[in-house]
């Protein structure tokens, strides 16, 4: 019982009205009331957009991910060995690598991995039928959480990188164009600017071919990706970005050049001196059932070849340069014929053109549908109606216009064949009919000669994509029967290599061995990340710590082959101090909660130093330096507090050719009990003496490895500095006990007695301790070289250590979580970070995370959550905006060229236009900073508490549009903060009150990135003292 003047009395009754409380009784509520509440809070409406889709071309792909969603999904990926997902991808994307890069927020690294194997990586991320390809092979399929959303991750990574507006360049490690033989100047023609052609031309450009020209019949590029895949699935800006990356390599596009018109043919190109021709256009002639012969568009009959290009030209900004195109004027009922992907694109597009009902009618049953599940599910969600087992019999006309369609029924016999039952018919009313029965080569086949066709597909070798009738002709995509965008991209990729071999053979140059197609490269890849540290030149600042990744010299050799800049050997000793390990000894941490598989936040080990002899490591060091002279090998050694031992071992290690020594004075378990490791490293006087002994014995650089298990690590560092050490390594593992089981045994538990000991904890859980140690040493000993180790799981976290004063990074747990190839993620991530600093237009980016794009206020300042009646109001306002919006107005999304500078040039005769568009460079640049310039950048901002300014206060600000109304901010503020957030009972919109003290706890628990931000406080902060100071009476 409290009194009104009690300071412990609860006064925030209204604020706490919705706060969780312990239940004392069962909860009762009539079902009638629950029905009303369910309707109010419902989020999973059957049609998310309200099913009124006219002129609504916003992205509707369920796979699309925000940064938050991408990071969470990438964190689920197992990054499997010999990953089946990759084997199911026609272009053989290194899926585990690009997802690994996403999980570390290295979006350039992810995009590079994708675009290296598939120049159409962004398009494919949006439209690939992943359920039938990569996702179909995901090893997580049997688990409760299901397979990874690979397409969504691919889409996110490449789109995020594309926003950087960085051009593609040839690999700077390849011979320069000027040094290539004249055979690389051969004229190459590609016909049709679709996916197969873009892929082929891109790889030819990477190889160094300098005269590559694409001939396109339309006034825009992209092929069917532009003309037949709707804007809400694939914006033209995406296709344009991929074409721009291709044009960055010098590829030219000639528009308005139709095969078979004005004498333009494959043979004419050959006669004009083109040494090789690639045919990458689609099959242009629609297949039309005879019942529709003579019926026109004006009468209400479209083929997909009529309908989808008309929709695209009226809804894709920037595609055809026109502003007057209108959507096909549909209304009422629309019948779409066919059950492939194109049919479902027609169906969902019909709603956006004004149809009120859409029927998808097809001959087969649901079990034999050709469309991928993604397309079918989308059409179902948008209320398309499916009518299987029907075949057109005749069109019903009224007043010269389509009025309906009569069908025969079909049936599937015991052999699995479909038969027509002419005794059963049905009629459907319709105002329009769209036929999507596929397409064929048609009359243009004559202009392809000498290429021949056999019952549809072109006669080519499906490995080399080379025509059987003429070795200078290559083809891919629809022409050879590979209709998927990703298959077409792979055809172009295959053709590029074999075209390269063919062209070089004409010059007498034989190309042998496995294909060596160059990777995707940009100016980011040319960034120099070498480091001059402690008098040693490191090719890059990433090395393996003295731990399990360096168990053997063969492992170090393999790590160097993958790109690591240095390695610290597993710690070795004199033979008299050799050890034998126990098992088990390395276990997953508990700091990440019940997370299993890779991505562990910590490990705990009770492993000792190397079981191998000093002789082994000395020989290994010499061999590694012999074979990798540019890589740095650091010998890690350990002795007891004995000058003779340290002198002997240090001299031996130096003579082996090691670039530097690391003195292990910090192993937290086992060795300390022998008077080594931690037993020495916790005592400043012992560290001083050991470093003096080693400095007297050797001339090479050496670094004592410091333990965090001390009161003040600065005192140990100062002792090392005074003793003559070149620098220090900080930190070794943190001593700990990871946890106990329900039966009171710990893990690891050794032997039948199930005994354990305190082990060394590593991984990202130790990073705060590592950053504190490094920064405090850097403050205490400016310019004293520091090698950092402790939870460096990505380039982003390495950058934090650079800023705290470290010069190079030692890594272990990230390799334990994955493999040696992670170094490439660190490398590209650091290069991208440094490059971004050189670009003024990227100043608002947080490393590789773009700033949130400000969207137009469609809701007139109203705070409308995304549930119940509120979402209906959102849909109404969104619909009003869509109807008024100019669909062809460019929103600047993925803009990659300068619209104010014409790059489309008329040809000599004025009949065609050639596009060699240059990328916009409307930004200021400075030289890319060096790695050395980043060392210690943040140290001046780290200091004592009394240096902090308590006059400049901040408060929380909630972005209602990002908020998902979970109330986590409200709950934590109530029970762990200042009761400064109101939570509306009807809308669940949080409102920050003037009681906010800026503690930032709400930001810390909010599940949505940047939903809550801290902004400057506009009024002076007056602390709530509880009892005014003047009235305070001491007890």
């Amino acid at each position: 019982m409290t009194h009104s003047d009690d300071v412990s009395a609860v006064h925030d009754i209204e604020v706490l009205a919705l706060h969780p409380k312990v239940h004392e009784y069962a909860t009762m509520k009539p079902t009638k009331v629950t029905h009303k509440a369910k309707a109010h809070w419902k989020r999973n409406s059957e049609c998310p957009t309200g099913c009124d889709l006219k002129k609504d071309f916003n992205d509707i792909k369920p796979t699309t991910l925000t940064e938050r969603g991408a990071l969470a999904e990438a964190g689920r990926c197992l990054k499997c060995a010999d990953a089946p997902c990759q084997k199911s991808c026609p272009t053989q994307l290194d899926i585990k690598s690009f997802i690994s890069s996403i999980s570390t927020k290295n979006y350039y690294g992810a995009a590079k991995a994708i675009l290296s194997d598939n120049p159409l990586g962004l398009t494919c991320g949006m439209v690939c039928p992943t359920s039938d390809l990569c996702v179909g092979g995901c090893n997580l399929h049997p688990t409760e959480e299901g397979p990874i959303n690979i397409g969504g991750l691919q889409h996110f990574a490449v789109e995020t990188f594309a926003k950087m507006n960085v051009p593609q360049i040839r690999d700077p490690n390849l011979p320069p164009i000027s040094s290539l033989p004249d055979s690389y100047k051969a004229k190459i023609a590609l016909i049709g600017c679709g996916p197969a052609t873009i892929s082929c031309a891109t790889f030819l450009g990477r190889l160094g071919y300098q005269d590559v020209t694409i001939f396109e019949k339309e006034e825009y590029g992209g092929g069917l990706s532009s003309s037949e895949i709707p804007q809400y699935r694939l914006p033209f800006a995406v296709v344009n970005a991929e074409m721009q990356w291709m044009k960055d390599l010098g590829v030219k596009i000639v528009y308005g050049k139709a095969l078979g018109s004005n004498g333009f043919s494959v043979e004419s190109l050959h006669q004009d001196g083109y040494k090789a021709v690639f045919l990458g256009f689609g099959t242009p002639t629609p297949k039309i059932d005879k019942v529709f012969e003579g019926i026109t568009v004006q009468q209400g009959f479209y083929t997909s070849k009529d309908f989808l290009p008309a929709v695209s030209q009226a809804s894709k900004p920037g595609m055809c340069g026109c502003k007057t195109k209108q959507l096909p004027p549909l209304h009422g009922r629309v019948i779409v014929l066919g059950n492939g992907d194109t049919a479902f694109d027609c169906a969902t597009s019909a709603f956006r053109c004004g149809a009120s009902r859409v029927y998808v009618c097809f001959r087969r049953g649901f079990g034999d549908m050709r469309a991928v599940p993604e397309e079918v599910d989308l059409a179902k969600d948008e209320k398309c109606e499916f009518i299987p087992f029907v075949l057109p019999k005749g069109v019903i006309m009224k007043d010269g216009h389509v009025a309906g369609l009569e069908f025969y029924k079909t049936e599937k016999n015991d052999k699995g064949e479909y038969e027509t039952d002419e005794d059963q018919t049905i009629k459907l009313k319709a105002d329009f009919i769209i036929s999507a029965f596929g397409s064929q080569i048609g009359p243009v086949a004559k202009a392809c000669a000498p290429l021949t066709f056999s019952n549809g597909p072109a006669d080519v070798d499906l490995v080399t994509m080379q025509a059987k009738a003429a070795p200078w002709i290559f083809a891919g995509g629809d022409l050879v029967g590979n209709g998927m965008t990703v298959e077409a991209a792979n055809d172009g990729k295959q053709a590029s290599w074999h075209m390269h071999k063919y062209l070089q053979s004409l010059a007498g140059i034989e190309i042998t061995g496995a294909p060596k197609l160059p990777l995707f490269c940009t100016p980011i890849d040319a960034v120099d990340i070498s480091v001059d540290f402690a008098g040693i030149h490191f090719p890059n600042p990433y090395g393996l710590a003295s731990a399990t990744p360096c168990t053997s010299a063969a492992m170090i050799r393999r790590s160097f082959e993958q790109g690591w800049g240095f390695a610290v050997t597993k710690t070795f000793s004199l033979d008299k101090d050799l050890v034998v390990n126990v098992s088990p000894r390395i276990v997953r941490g508990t700091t990440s909660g019940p997370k299993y598989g890779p991505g562990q936040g910590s490990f705990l080990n009770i492993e000792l130093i190397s079981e191998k002899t000093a002789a082994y490591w000395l020989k290994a060091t010499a061999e590694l330096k012999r074979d990798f002279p540019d890589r740095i090998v650091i010998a890690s050694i350990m002795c007891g507090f004995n000058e003779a031992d340290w002198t002997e071992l240090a001299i031996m290690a130096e003579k082996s050719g090691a670039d530097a020594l690391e003195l292990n004075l910090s192993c937290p378990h086992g060795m300390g009990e022998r008077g080594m490791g931690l037993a020495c490293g916790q005592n400043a006087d012992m560290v001083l003496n050991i470093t003096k002994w080693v400095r007297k014995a050797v001339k090479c650089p050496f670094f004592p490895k410091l333990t965090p298990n001390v009161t003040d690590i600065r005192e140990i560092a100062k002792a090392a500095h005074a003793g003559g050490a070149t620098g220090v390594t900080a930190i070794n593992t943190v001593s700990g006990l990871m946890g106990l089981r329900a039966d009171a045994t710990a893990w690891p538990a050794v032997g039948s007695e199930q005994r354990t000991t305190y082990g060394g904890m590593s991984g990202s859980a130790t990073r705060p301790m590592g950053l504190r140690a490094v920064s405090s040493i850097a403050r205490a000993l400016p310019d004293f070289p520091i090698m950092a180790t402790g939870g460096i799981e990505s380039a982003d976290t390495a950058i934090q250590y650079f800023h705290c004063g470290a010069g190079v990074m030692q890594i272990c747990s990230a390799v334990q979580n994955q493999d040696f190839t992670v170094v490439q993620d660190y490398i590209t991530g650091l290069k991208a970070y440094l490059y971004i600093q050189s670009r003024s237009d990227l100043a608002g980016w947080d490393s590789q995370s773009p700033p949130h794009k400000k969207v137009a206020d469609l809701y007139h300042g109203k705070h409308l959550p995304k549930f119940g009646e509120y979402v209906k109001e959102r849909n109404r306002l969104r619909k009003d905006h869509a109807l008024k919006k100019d669909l062809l107005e460019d929103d600047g999304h993925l803009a990659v060229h300068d619209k104010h500078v014409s790059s489309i040039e008329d040809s000599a005769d004025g009949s065609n236009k050639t596009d060699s568009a240059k990328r916009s460079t409307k930004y200021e640049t400075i030289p890319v900073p060096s790695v050395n310039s980043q060392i210690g950048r943040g140290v001046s901002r780290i200091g004592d508490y009394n240096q902090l300014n308590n006059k400049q206060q901040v408060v929380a600000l909630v972005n209602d549009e990002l908020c998902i109304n979970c109330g986590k901010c409200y709950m934590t503020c109530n029970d762990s903060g200042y009761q400064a957030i109101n939570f509306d009972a009807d809308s669940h919109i949080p409102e920050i009150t003037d009681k906010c003290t800026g503690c930032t706890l709400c930001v810390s628990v909010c599940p949505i990135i940047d939903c809550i931000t801290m902004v400057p406080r506009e009024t002076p902060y007056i602390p709530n003292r509880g009892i005014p100071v003047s009235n305070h009476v001491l007890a």
Side-chain angles (χ1 to χ4, degrees):
M1 184 71 178
T2 59
H3 301 283
S4 59
D5 60 346
D6 286 355
V7 295
S8 62
V10 177
H11 299 291
D12 302 294
I13 303 299
E14 292 184 4
V15 171
L16 296 171
L18 299 179
H19 195 66
K21 299 176 181 67
V22 175
H23 291 284
E24 297 182 6
Y25 307 101
T27 304
M28 285 186 63
K29 188 167 288 187
T31 301
K32 179 180 179 180
V33 175
T34 302
H35 283 167
K36 184 176 180 181
K38 181 182 72 171
H40 177 76
W41 299 108
K42 190 171 182 63
R43 289 182 181 266
N44 61 334
S45 59
E46 293 181 355
C47 194
T49 57
C51 288
D52 190 357
L53 297 168
K54 188 172 183 179
K55 290 188 67 179
D56 187 347
F57 284 84
N58 288 302
D59 182 357
I60 45 76
K61 296 185 296 299
T63 56
T64 299
L65 295 169
T66 62
E67 183 173 30
R68 173 188 178 275
L71 291 171
E73 189 69 359
R76 288 204 306 121
C77 178
L78 302 180
K79 294 91 178 177
C80 306
D82 198 29
C85 56
Q86 178 173 332
K87 295 175 181 294
S88 303
C89 173
T91 59
Q92 301 297 297
L93 289 189
D94 190 348
I95 293 169
K96 69 180 180 65
S97 289
F98 87 68
I99 294 181
S100 182
S101 289
I102 292 172
S103 69
T104 61
K105 301 182 75 171
N106 177 12
Y107 306 136
Y108 173 65
K112 178 180 173 67
I114 293 163
L115 295 170
S116 287
D117 274 309
N118 184 356
L120 283 295
L122 182 49
T123 289
C124 290
M126 291 183 166
V127 304
C128 255
T130 55
S131 62
D132 189 47
L133 298 172
C134 51
V135 172
C138 179
N139 283 333
L140 282 173
H141 250 297
T143 64
E144 296 89 339
E145 62 269 29
I148 299 298
N149 176 8
I150 297 173
L153 290 171
Q154 182 173 327
H155 168 189
F156 169 79
V158 185
E159 184 173 66
T160 301
F161 164 64
K163 292 175 183 176
M164 295 183 190
N165 190 21
V166 181
Q168 180 173 195
I169 62 172
R170 284 188 74 240
D171 186 340
N173 295 314
L174 292 175
I177 291 286
S178 59
S179 68
L180 294 175
D182 288 345
S183 53
Y184 284 84
K185 296 178 182 178
K187 292 176 66 176
I188 304 172
L190 302 95
I191 303 176
C193 191
T197 291
I198 294 172
S199 176
C200 185
T202 298
F203 281 110
L204 290 171
R206 291 179 192 173
L207 284 164
Y209 287 94
Q210 301 150 53
D211 195 348
V212 180
T213 305
I214 298 171
F215 297 94
E216 168 57 50
K217 71 174 182 178
E218 304 292 351
E219 297 300 324
Y220 54 85
L224 302 188
S225 296
S226 296
S227 64
E228 296 193 18
I229 300 180
Q231 171 79 2
Y232 50 87
R233 288 186 59 221
L234 182 62
F236 179 70
V238 167
V239 180
N240 193 39
E242 292 166 337
M243 289 195 294
Q244 184 61 59
W245 281 319
M246 174 189 72
K247 290 185 288 184
D248 289 337
L249 299 173
V251 176
K252 301 178 289 295
I253 308 174
V254 177
Y255 293 110
K257 195 77 170 176
L259 195 63
S261 298
N262 301 318
F264 179 56
S265 67
V266 171
E267 185 59 47
S268 70
L269 287 169
H270 197 221
Q271 293 174 2
D272 287 343
Y274 287 90
K275 300 299 183 183
V277 178
F278 178 82
L279 280 66
F281 56 89
T283 46
T285 304
K287 295 179 181 177
I288 303 175
D289 193 288
K290 63 181 179 181
V291 302
F292 303 112
E293 291 179 357
I295 306 176
T296 65
V297 167
Q298 290 72 26
Q299 294 173 299
F301 173 73
Y302 290 85
T303 68
S304 60
K305 294 290 184 181
D306 302 319
F307 180 68
L308 289 176
V311 173
S312 292
Q313 289 177 25
S315 62
K316 291 193 171 187
M319 188 175 104
C320 58
C322 53
K323 288 286 186 178
T324 58
K325 297 286 186 179
Q326 298 295 316
L327 294 171
L330 304 188
H331 58 82
R333 297 178 176 89
V334 175
I335 290 175
V336 177
L337 302 171
N339 73 348
D341 295 341
T342 301
F344 285 96
D345 280 339
C346 290
T348 51
S349 294
F351 279 127
R352 290 160 174 80
C353 294
S356 57
R357 298 186 72 175
V358 176
Y359 304 94
V360 182
C361 305
F362 42 93
R363 179 175 63 91
R364 302 168 181 243
F366 283 106
D368 294 326
M369 294 178 71
R370 291 190 298 109
V372 296
E374 292 91 335
E375 289 267 21
V376 177
D377 290 343
L378 174 60
K380 182 174 65 176
D381 289 343
E382 294 191 348
K383 302 303 182 186
C384 290
E385 300 178 51
F386 301 168
I387 303 179
F389 298 108
V390 294
L391 187 69
K393 176 186 177 184
V395 181
I396 301 169
M397 304 291 289
K398 185 176 180 180
D399 298 329
H401 197 276
V402 167
L405 188 59
E406 185 174 12
F407 294 92
Y408 292 117
K409 290 289 290 180
T410 63
E411 292 182 353
K412 190 175 184 180
N413 63 27
D414 294 340
K415 297 179 180 179
E417 300 167 339
Y418 284 90
E419 298 175 340
T420 302
D421 184 354
E422 297 187 358
D423 294 331
Q424 294 189 75
T425 61
I426 61 170
K427 293 180 181 180
L428 283 179
K429 291 182 179 180
D431 299 288
F432 296 91
I433 298 170
I434 304 172
S435 171
F437 282 149
S439 56
Q440 54 199 350
I441 183 65
V444 77
K446 293 181 179 179
C448 297
L451 180 66
T452 58
F453 297 84
S454 297
N455 298 320
D459 294 322
V460 300
D461 182 316
L462 292 177
V463 173
T464 66
M465 314 313 295
Q466 199 164 16
K468 296 177 181 178
W472 51 275
I473 299 177
F474 298 78
D478 280 333
L479 278 184
V480 302
N482 290 331
M484 290 185 192
T485 301
V486 68
E487 291 175 339
N490 194 55
D491 288 349
K493 179 182 181 180
Q494 289 289 118
S496 69
W497 180 254
H498 294 287
M499 189 182 292
H500 167 58
K501 291 180 67 175
Y502 169 74
L503 291 170
Q504 294 308 306
S505 71
L506 295 181
I509 301 172
E510 184 180 7
I511 305 295
T512 59
K516 295 181 180 179
L517 287 173
L519 303 178
F520 178 82
C521 286
T522 73
I524 294 173
D525 297 292
V527 172
D528 179 10
I529 59 167
S530 64
V531 184
D532 291 312
F533 173 79
I536 306 171
H537 183 74
F538 289 73
N540 67 64
Y542 300 119
L544 296 175
S546 176
T548 54
C550 293
T551 295
S552 71
M555 293 170 70
I556 296 176
R557 176 178 294 276
R558 288 194 290 112
S559 77
F560 285 167
E561 290 169 350
Q562 300 308 313
W564 290 88
F566 70 99
V568 186
T569 69
K570 196 85 160 69
T571 302
F572 59 93
S573 65
L574 296 172
D575 289 351
K576 68 186 182 70
D577 295 319
L578 284 171
V579 302
V580 177
N581 278 301
V582 298
S583 64
R585 60 181 179 271
I586 305 172
V587 299
R588 60 177 287 273
T590 57
T591 55
S592 300
K595 179 179 176 63
Y596 299 93
Q600 293 298 321
S602 64
F603 292 92
L604 182 127
N605 83 87
I606 54 173
E607 180 161 297
L608 302 179
I609 63 175
S610 177
E611 295 178 327
K612 293 181 170 59
T613 63
Y616 170 88
W617 283 111
L618 298 173
K619 187 173 188 298
T621 299
E623 291 172 359
L624 291 168
K625 286 304 298 180
R626 177 196 68 201
D627 297 341
F628 300 93
D630 64 324
R631 305 306 164 95
I632 305 305
V633 179
I634 300 174
S636 175
I637 58 175
M638 179 188 286
C639 299
F641 190 66
N642 183 298
E643 181 176 4
D645 289 354
W646 280 107
T647 299
E648 179 184 358
L649 193 55
I651 291 173
M652 289 165 57
E654 182 182 42
K655 286 182 177 180
S656 72
D659 296 283
L661 310 182
E662 184 173 86
L663 316 185
N664 188 337
L665 304 178
S666 48
C667 183
H669 49 267
M671 304 311 296
E673 299 166 24
R674 303 172 182 223
M676 307 167 76
L678 194 72
C680 298
Q682 288 181 321
N683 186 303
D685 289 337
M686 294 174 77
V687 171
L688 175 65
N689 280 302
I690 291 170
T691 51
K692 284 183 176 179
W693 298 338
V694 174
R695 175 45 68 217
K696 185 169 66 172
V698 300
K699 295 181 179 179
C700 68
F702 70 89
F703 302 81
K705 189 171 187 178
L706 307 187
T707 175
N709 305 301
V710 291
T711 302
D712 189 347
I713 200 171
R714 292 174 297 181
E715 296 305 314
I716 308 299
K718 288 177 181 177
H721 181 264
T726 309
V728 291
T729 300
I731 55 176
N732 207 324
T733 55
V734 178
S735 183
L737 183 67
M738 194 53 79
L740 299 174
R741 293 170 166 173
D743 64 357
T745 60
W747 180 244
V750 180
S752 60
E753 295 179 350
Q754 299 287 282
R755 298 189 65 83
T756 195
T757 187
Y758 302 110
M761 185 177 71
S762 61
S764 60
T766 68
R767 186 163 58 250
M769 291 164 268
L771 290 171
R772 183 188 187 280
V774 169
S775 61
S776 63
I777 294 169
R779 291 175 60 215
L781 297 167
D783 301 321
F784 190 45
I786 305 170
M787 290 198 283
T789 183
I792 305 169
E793 62 186 5
S794 64
D796 261 13
T797 51
I799 289 161
Q800 295 174 40
Y801 273 105
F802 284 128
H803 290 169
C804 283
V808 294
M809 310 292 141
Q810 295 185 20
I811 294 153
C812 169
S813 294
V815 177
Q816 291 177 322
N817 267 314
Q818 190 53 38
D819 58 65
F820 287 143
T821 62
V822 295
V823 70
Q824 292 303 321
D825 179 59
Y826 287 85
I827 288 171
T828 55
L830 178 57
K831 287 184 174 186
Y833 170 77
L834 296 172
Y835 173 84
I836 286 170
Q837 291 186 59
S838 74
R839 291 265 302 270
S840 62
D841 58 317
L842 301 179
W845 287 53
D846 178 14
S847 190
Q848 295 190 51
S849 297
H852 278 291
K853 182 181 178 183
K854 292 184 178 180
V855 296
D857 180 13
L858 308 183
Y859 311 114
H860 311 300
K862 297 180 180 180
H863 301 307
L864 300 173
K866 302 177 180 70
F867 57 79
E869 293 299 318
Y870 295 109
V871 81
K872 293 181 181 178
E873 177 66 4
R874 291 175 70 92
N875 286 336
R876 185 187 68 77
L877 294 170
R878 189 165 165 265
K879 174 65 180 173
D880 290 344
H881 175 75
L883 291 174
K884 297 174 185 176
K885 180 184 176 182
D886 178 1
L887 293 176
L888 297 177
E889 180 181 348
D890 191 349
D891 63 0
H893 182 66
L894 295 185
V896 293
H897 59 82
D898 189 345
K899 296 176 188 171
H900 304 291
V901 179
S902 175
S903 57
I904 309 293
E905 302 174 354
D906 289 333
S907 61
D909 61 4
S911 60
N912 310 113
K913 295 183 177 181
T914 301
D915 182 2
S916 54
K918 292 186 177 180
R919 186 179 296 268
S920 170
T921 54
K922 284 196 166 184
Y923 48 77
E924 295 180 2
T925 62
I926 61 172
V928 177
S930 66
V931 175
N932 283 92
S933 72
Q934 305 301 302
I935 299 173
R937 273 184 65 189
V939 172
S940 63
R941 295 186 175 93
I942 303 169
D944 298 332
Y945 185 89
N946 288 336
Q947 295 177 286
L948 304 181
N949 189 329
N950 65 4
K951 304 299 183 185
Q952 299 175 5
Q953 299 279 349
V954 295
V955 293
L957 179 67
V958 178
N959 184 327
D960 291 339
E961 190 59 25
L962 293 177
C963 181
I964 61 172
N965 319 105
C966 66
K968 296 305 296 182
C969 56
Y970 165 73
M971 294 159 65
T972 195
C973 189
N974 284 338
D975 281 5
S976 300
Y978 298 85
Q979 301 81 52
I981 300 178
N982 290 329
F983 197 55
D984 187 82
D986 187 68
S987 67
H988 279 185
I989 293 176
E991 177 190 6
I992 310 296
T993 70
D994 58 6
K995 293 172 67 176
C996 177
T997 67
C999 75
T1000 322
L1001 188 57
C1002 56
V1003 176
S1004 301
V1005 301
C1006 179
I1008 305 300
I1009 298 173
D1010 290 342
C1011 177
I1012 306 177
T1013 52
M1014 304 306 292
V1015 298
R1017 188 183 186 94
E1018 295 180 353
T1019 58
Y1021 173 59
I1022 302 174
N1024 179 356
R1025 302 296 185 187
I1027 296 176
V1029 175
S1030 59
N1031 296 332
H1032 187 208
V1033 179
L1034 293 176

